Amino acid sequence: MTFEEAKDYLLRKARELGLELEVLAAKNRELAVQAREGRIEEITQANQGGVGVRAVVAGKTGYAYTEELTPEALDWVLQEARENALLQSEAGGFLPVGGALGRHDLLGEGLSAPLEQKRQKALDLEAGLRVDPRVKQVQMTRYAEHETQAILGSTGGVSGAFRNGYALLLTNAVMGEGQSLKQGYEFELAKEFHALEPGRTAQAFLQNTGRLLGARPLKTGRYRAYFEPKAFAQLLGTMGWFLLSAKNVLEGKSLLAGKIGQKVASEIFTLVDDPTLPGGLASRPFDAEGTPSKRTVLIERGVLRTFAHNAETARKMGAENTGHAARSYKGVLGVAPTNLFVEPGQGVRPDRGVVITDLMGLHAGANPISGEFSLQALGLWVEGGEVAYPVENFTVAGNFLELLSRITALGTELEWNPMMGIVGSPMVEVAELSFAGA
Amino acid sequence: MLDETLVSEVLGQARRGGASFAELYVERWRRRAVRLLSGEVKEATSGIEYGAGLRLFYGTEVVYGYTNDLSPEGLLEVSETLVRLKGQAGQVDQAGRGGLDFRKAVAQGLHAPVVPLSARDKRYRLERLLEAEAGARVGPEIVQVQTQLLEWEQEVLVANSEGAWCEDRRVRTRLYVTAIAQGEGGLQTGVAGPGLSVGLELFDRYPPAEVGRKAGLQALTNLRAKPAPAGPMPVVIGNGFGGVIFHEALGHLLETTSVARKTSVLADRLGEKVAADCVTYIDDGTIPHGWGSSEFDDEGRPTERTVLIENGVLKSYMVDRWGSLLTGYRPTGSGRRQDYTFAPTSRMRNTFIAPGNTPKEKLFEGVEFGLYAADLGGGQVLPGSGEYNFAVKEGYIIRHGRVEEPVRGAMLVGKGPESIKRIVAVSDDLEMGPGMCGSLSGSLPVEVGQPHLLISEIVVGGQA
């Protein structure tokens, strides 16, 4: 059975059973080529996918999914989803009524190229690293491409599909100089295979990891912090988004609850989510409930304008649906960002403090419910407007909302980072944060 | 799960391009999850995951493919694709001709559930979660309680061109409670999440009300806690999940994933002294019902108990098939993967520091000012430099040898090989705790464990 056939089968059966049902199918293709020591070390190719349903019975919602597309498995999915719905005591779940959303192709022929050229990208990236004698070991260099077709349909009339994807160059390697060793990574994503340049990715790695060699301890203290875009994007993608999710607000987990219209950040800070961004890596024509995409200003000049909503959270809070419904076929309804970005500012001129080049341990050291974070950081000490030396073995700690209100300057250029969602940020200067080191 | 003749045909065809080794991994998962918030079911979900991964070795070069289409046509198409990827379609090798005579190994049920998941209905599960929630409400400051139950049933078949055929069945259950307390300290959290390779007897091993109470008390402790101090100081690390420090600072550096590529600072150091005498470090995939236990690894090899470090001396790495080919070390049954969408790599199972002989109270005695990290969250490591971090979920100040007021929000950072040498005393109260570990072959259940121990100096990343 194909995914389309499985969707039709489920919707037909649901109508027979009088069940309100929303079907989401995802069909994924993956190709990855990994090089090491001048040879291809691993190639992976795959087609994979599944179909997941959200069922509503008298306002109660249940979920089930399968990767096995047989009538038996699909019948099991319907039965489980119905049973799971009946476990709910609260009513209030519903499926939005919708119509034909069309079939969209956001990828085109961008990934078309002979396999040999793709292998070569991975080999060239490794070769580009090896020219520098400070590169001691290459853990991996990788070319990968991912393509997804999402198919959505519901008994409420919603019907649509879109195709998207990207190609990626990634490396992870160890550089050394004297006694100092640093492991770093670098990646580049594009929707066009030919836009990837291994030479550029290699140079970026050598620059970004090489500058950390010979790091000294950082003395414990409170300093001005200069977050490079990659570091700030990670903080924003985890803690920032968590606080802005209407689902978390409704569940009593967000410190921003009740603060619509209030100042929650520095007045130079504006945060936007835009699924309609042309060429955006997370652009899409509609969300997981079939709500058409639109641009949303979440924080405008420091003032909280709206939370990110799906149809259910919007109805519960009496707010406008911002079209942020998200669901994977294995998952449950939530809200997720698309192309989330901080509007660039007038520029940052580091004077004295710590340039934070990267953050580690976000899954454990950042608590989005309390808003507090204490994270391992990599960085550079700046003195008299110049980079003095790299620093290591330290943490940066604070409260995320306090950090937002203490932003004193923003860089002029937006850089996109795909590590915690697709997040764009300029360089961000924060008046003062706690650093723990030697 | 699959017919022997078909498996033999797929492996045979896959080797026609000259592959030195072929392996087919087939699995079917049935997963259930339910999440309650303030006594109400927010989401309940059930799922089937079903797929196969085919891995070919050409010497040490690996070609991997996976699919959800387990029909003969689907599997043979993957095999054709992989041969073509290697650019050797049409080349007919003698390898793989003729059928395979499999040596069958079937799991004995060493970790099988005592109370099968099918023995109780969904209502029974809700009642247990409500008990956990009630247990978590230890005071009026507790404003929100979330309880979750995860149930995983996995059937696995691994067959390879050397004639190995192994079937395993793994059942895992985990209860997870998050309590949120509100007060002058803002919103603070406490968590508890026991998990084992068991069925519903998890609720007998860990009564839900007690699990909830632990999360609730931790949230209250964090609510009255002051921000943690900042800077280097002595730290006593609690038993159980405290072992995550070794998982990050040491364990990941001993997997052939990094050792074979020489991207671990501990590569090529067998027989050398890498830790203090009081440190013996073991990775054991055979612990009955351990969260990270299984009878076979995901390459079809029986799991084992591997002594990694004995009295400070490096004795063994954790070795998978690929790592063994590159390094010559004996495989240790450590090949693991999240699911069929990943090729296996060497991974930890249940890893712990063996008990020492210092009474717990003695650890605190000489500490003038330091941190007692009673419970820890997750962490991370860069094996190439050994730099690691992990977060403290429940911490207290040690002053003049006594455990005093609670502090919150500390992350501990250091370089693994340096920190390991600073372990000065190990107590005798070994406990284990479950976690999820993320690496190249995906996210996997592992246990970490240790007795209480004292580190002479480590950087504490607090705010005060």
Side-chain angles (χ1 to χ4, degrees):
Chain A
M1 207 184 287
T2 66
F3 288 99
E4 285 284 354
E5 287 164 354
K7 182 196 74 173
D8 293 342
Y9 179 94
L10 287 164
L11 291 177
R12 190 174 68 244
K13 282 270 182 163
R15 287 192 181 101
E16 286 169 18
L17 296 165
L19 196 64
E20 284 184 74
L21 195 77
E22 177 188 80
V23 183
L24 190 144
K27 189 178 168 191
N28 307 307
R29 183 183 68 79
E30 179 195 353
L31 172 70
V33 183
Q34 195 163 303
R36 199 174 66 91
E37 295 181 352
R39 298 184 330 132
I40 298 298
E41 179 181 68
E42 192 174 315
I43 308 181
T44 301
Q45 171 149 330
N47 289 292
Q48 187 268 347
V51 52
V53 305
R54 178 161 70 118
V56 179
V57 187
K60 300 176 181 189
T61 309
Y63 299 87
Y65 66 91
T66 181
E67 294 176 344
E68 191 177 9
L69 303 186
T70 57
E72 299 74 36
L74 296 172
D75 289 343
W76 180 85
V77 160
L78 287 171
Q79 186 192 328
E80 285 283 324
R82 192 168 178 284
E83 279 179 22
N84 287 337
L86 293 174
L87 285 178
Q88 277 202 324
S89 43
E90 73 161 32
F94 68 100
L95 298 180
V97 175
L101 296 159
R103 306 180 73 85
H104 306 259
D105 187 353
L106 283 70
L107 183 62
E109 294 304 303
L111 303 180
S112 299
L115 178 65
E116 193 44 44
Q117 288 184 20
K118 294 173 178 174
R119 292 163 61 111
Q120 200 57 45
K121 287 264 195 230
L123 292 166
D124 289 350
L125 176 54
E126 203 208 8
L129 298 176
R130 296 278 184 190
V131 296
D132 190 323
R134 297 175 302 166
V135 173
K136 299 301 174 198
Q137 299 298 340
V138 179
Q139 169 94 10
M140 66 144 144
T141 58
R142 194 175 174 90
Y143 167 82
E145 59 187 42
H146 292 265
E147 182 185 326
T148 297
Q149 284 183 59
I151 304 164
L152 183 67
S154 81
T155 53
V158 171
S159 167
F162 64 89
R163 172 174 173 265
N164 208 347
Y166 62 86
L168 161 80
L169 273 176
L170 169 70
T171 187
N172 184 326
V174 180
M175 292 181 81
E177 203 168 47
Q179 291 297 303
S180 178
L181 284 175
K182 284 289 162 191
Q183 183 167 7
Y185 60 91
E186 198 64 48
F187 46 76
E188 195 175 329
L189 266 84
K191 290 178 79 161
E192 298 281 332
F193 167 77
H194 292 288
L196 294 176
E197 285 183 25
R200 186 173 58 211
T201 313
Q203 278 309 310
F205 173 85
L206 296 172
Q207 160 67 18
N208 288 332
T209 302
R211 64 184 171 159
L212 300 173
L213 289 168
R216 305 183 198 171
L218 175 72
K219 200 165 155 37
T220 299
R222 297 181 71 83
Y223 306 112
R224 191 166 281 267
Y226 305 93
F227 286 88
E228 287 197 343
K230 179 162 88 173
F232 195 76
Q234 292 181 62
L235 212 49
L236 194 60
T238 47
M239 300 193 85
W241 184 261
F242 186 96
L243 295 167
L244 289 162
S245 152
K247 183 169 174 174
N248 290 329
V249 173
L250 281 166
E251 294 188 358
K253 295 174 180 170
S254 172
L255 290 167
L256 289 179
K259 295 198 170 164
I260 295 285
Q262 293 182 25
K263 193 162 179 300
V264 298
S266 157
E267 62 192 22
I268 60 170
F269 186 81
T270 293
L271 184 67
V272 179
D273 187 73
D274 190 358
T276 67
L277 207 64
L281 284 162
S283 293
R284 49 161 172 69
F286 50 85
D287 74 2
E289 290 177 302
T291 304
S293 291
K294 62 184 174 197
R295 183 176 193 270
T296 303
V297 179
L298 296 152
I299 297 174
E300 187 175 17
R301 303 195 66 77
V303 176
L304 179 62
R305 291 295 176 207
T306 182
F307 294 113
H309 287 282
N310 57 37
E312 192 175 302
T313 65
R315 181 180 285 188
K316 282 184 180 162
M317 291 177 70
E320 190 192 342
N321 180 7
T322 57
H324 282 102
R327 175 160 79 87
S328 72
Y329 70 82
K330 293 183 190 178
V332 299
L333 182 69
V335 292
T338 61
N339 305 300
L340 179 71
F341 65 95
V342 179
E343 287 204 338
Q346 304 297 315
V348 172
R349 272 171 299 280
D351 172 34
R352 183 177 188 275
V354 183
V355 174
I356 298 168
T357 60
D358 202 359
L359 293 169
M360 289 173 58
L362 278 114
H363 63 298
N367 183 338
I369 295 177
S370 70
E372 288 166 355
F373 63 90
S374 172
L375 298 164
Q376 184 172 21
L378 303 173
L380 309 163
W381 175 252
V382 176
E383 186 92 55
E386 303 271 332
V387 172
Y389 48 82
V391 284
E392 66 178 6
N393 221 21
F394 69 97
T395 64
V396 56
N399 180 291
F400 186 71
L401 287 182
E402 281 173 25
L403 179 153
L404 286 185
S405 64
R406 285 188 199 159
I407 292 174
T408 42
L410 294 168
T412 53
E413 272 178 60
L414 196 62
E415 249 180 60
W416 289 95
N417 186 287
M419 289 174 73
M420 305 281 176
I422 302 296
V423 184
S425 174
M427 187 137 177
V428 176
E429 179 186 301
V430 179
E432 192 185 72
L433 285 172
S434 275
F435 290 84
Chain B
M1 283 189 281
L2 282 185
D3 174 70
E4 247 180 88
T5 319
L6 173 61
V7 174
S8 177
E9 192 186 343
V10 171
L11 291 173
Q13 185 190 299
R15 288 189 66 207
R16 280 185 319 186
S20 46
F21 174 79
E23 170 196 82
L24 183 67
Y25 173 89
V26 184
E27 69 179 346
R28 181 188 270 108
W29 289 88
R30 191 161 290 195
R31 297 195 204 246
R32 286 195 175 88
V34 59
R35 180 173 78 99
L36 269 69
L37 191 75
S38 291
E40 304 221 334
V41 174
K42 297 307 282 186
E43 292 112 5
T45 180
S46 314
I48 295 170
E49 292 163 35
Y50 182 50
L54 181 62
R55 184 167 65 146
L56 308 184
F57 278 69
Y58 295 83
T60 56
E61 183 181 336
V62 174
V63 182
Y64 189 69
Y66 59 88
T67 182
N68 304 118
D69 183 356
L70 276 72
S71 67
E73 301 74 35
L75 290 171
L76 290 167
E77 190 193 321
V78 173
S79 146
E80 274 295 329
T81 307
L82 296 193
V83 171
R84 226 175 24 243
L85 273 183
K86 179 64 188 163
Q88 290 180 332
Q91 175 186 335
V92 177
D93 199 285
Q94 287 307 304
R97 310 245 342 238
L100 285 159
D101 191 11
F102 290 111
R103 298 180 308 278
K104 292 207 171 179
V106 176
Q108 304 299 300
L110 299 177
H111 313 291
V114 175
V115 182
L117 299 178
S118 57
R120 307 281 189 191
D121 65 7
K122 292 183 177 178
R123 288 280 151 201
Y124 172 84
R125 291 157 163 85
L126 288 195
E127 285 161 15
R128 302 289 82 71
L129 291 174
L130 291 172
E131 286 170 12
E133 158 143 3
R137 296 206 175 263
V138 289
E141 299 89 345
I142 302 293
V143 291
Q144 196 69 284
V145 178
Q146 174 171 288
T147 59
Q148 286 166 283
L149 181 66
L150 302 176
E151 299 169 29
W152 301 343
E153 292 176 84
Q154 181 197 24
E155 288 173 84
V156 179
L157 162 66
V158 188
N160 69 35
S161 58
E162 291 170 354
W165 176 290
C166 118
E167 291 173 53
D168 203 358
R169 183 165 185 277
R170 304 161 189 168
V171 178
R172 292 189 172 94
T173 304
R174 189 170 192 191
L175 169 65
Y176 206 90
V177 182
T178 307
I180 303 177
Q182 189 166 25
E184 280 180 20
L187 290 176
Q188 295 297 335
T189 56
V191 295
L196 289 169
S197 289
V198 296
L200 296 173
E201 72 267 33
L202 181 78
F203 297 130
D204 302 325
R205 302 271 293 265
Y206 293 94
E210 284 175 29
V211 176
R213 184 174 164 76
K214 187 170 174 233
L217 290 176
Q218 190 175 81
L220 289 189
T221 300
N222 282 328
L223 194 62
R224 65 188 166 92
K226 300 278 180 286
M233 64 189 74
V235 177
V236 173
I237 299 180
N239 60 355
F241 201 73
V244 70
I245 178 179
F246 288 97
H247 176 96
E248 303 299 348
L250 196 53
H252 279 300
L253 278 51
L254 299 176
E255 296 166 335
T256 46
T257 308
S258 57
V259 168
R261 296 183 173 100
K262 317 271 191 217
T263 48
S264 163
V265 288
L266 292 176
D268 297 327
R269 297 187 59 186
L270 281 185
E272 286 183 34
K273 190 96 187 320
V274 297
D277 284 345
C278 58
V279 175
T280 290
Y281 194 43
I282 296 165
D283 180 55
D284 189 349
T286 70
I287 296 174
H289 302 286
W291 176 242
S293 296
S294 59
E295 289 192 40
F296 298 95
D297 73 358
D298 294 329
E299 298 182 321
R301 197 174 288 272
T303 55
E304 59 179 62
R305 181 179 193 269
T306 311
V307 177
L308 303 167
I309 292 174
E310 194 168 19
N311 302 324
V313 177
L314 183 57
K315 292 290 185 185
S316 177
Y317 296 108
M318 287 168 274
V319 186
D320 63 340
R321 172 176 286 272
W322 179 87
S324 175
L325 277 174
L326 257 80
T327 61
Y329 302 134
R330 182 187 63 84
T332 53
S334 305
R336 300 186 70 192
R337 52 180 126 197
Q338 175 182 312
D339 55 38
Y340 64 90
T341 66
F342 293 87
T345 55
S346 63
R347 300 292 293 269
M348 284 174 262
R349 301 161 300 201
N350 307 300
T351 317
F352 58 94
I353 295 285
N357 47 25
T358 308
K360 178 184 158 190
E361 309 76 53
K362 293 266 182 208
L363 298 179
F364 297 88
E365 269 176 15
V367 180
E368 260 317 288
F369 183 83
L371 180 74
Y372 172 34
D375 195 10
L376 299 176
Q380 197 182 359
V381 69
L382 295 172
S385 60
E387 290 169 288
Y388 71 87
N389 63 69
F390 60 101
V392 180
K393 284 193 305 192
E394 185 180 334
Y396 302 86
I397 293 292
I398 308 171
R399 203 175 278 113
H400 313 305
R402 284 193 309 275
V403 176
E404 297 197 333
E405 76 273 16
V407 289
R408 67 170 189 255
M411 172 163 267
L412 307 188
V413 301
K415 291 188 178 178
E418 289 172 15
S419 304
I420 299 314
K421 288 187 177 143
R422 293 190 181 134
I423 294 168
V424 288
V426 178
S427 147
D428 51 8
D429 55 350
L430 172 67
E431 267 189 32
M432 306 292 287
M436 295 301 293
C437 165
S439 182
L440 284 182
S441 59
S443 175
L444 286 170
V446 297
E447 275 186 14
V448 299
Q450 67 169 39
H452 274 82
L453 54 83
L454 171 64
I455 299 186
S456 59
E457 186 183 284
I458 190 167
V459 171
V460 176
Q463 285 195 67

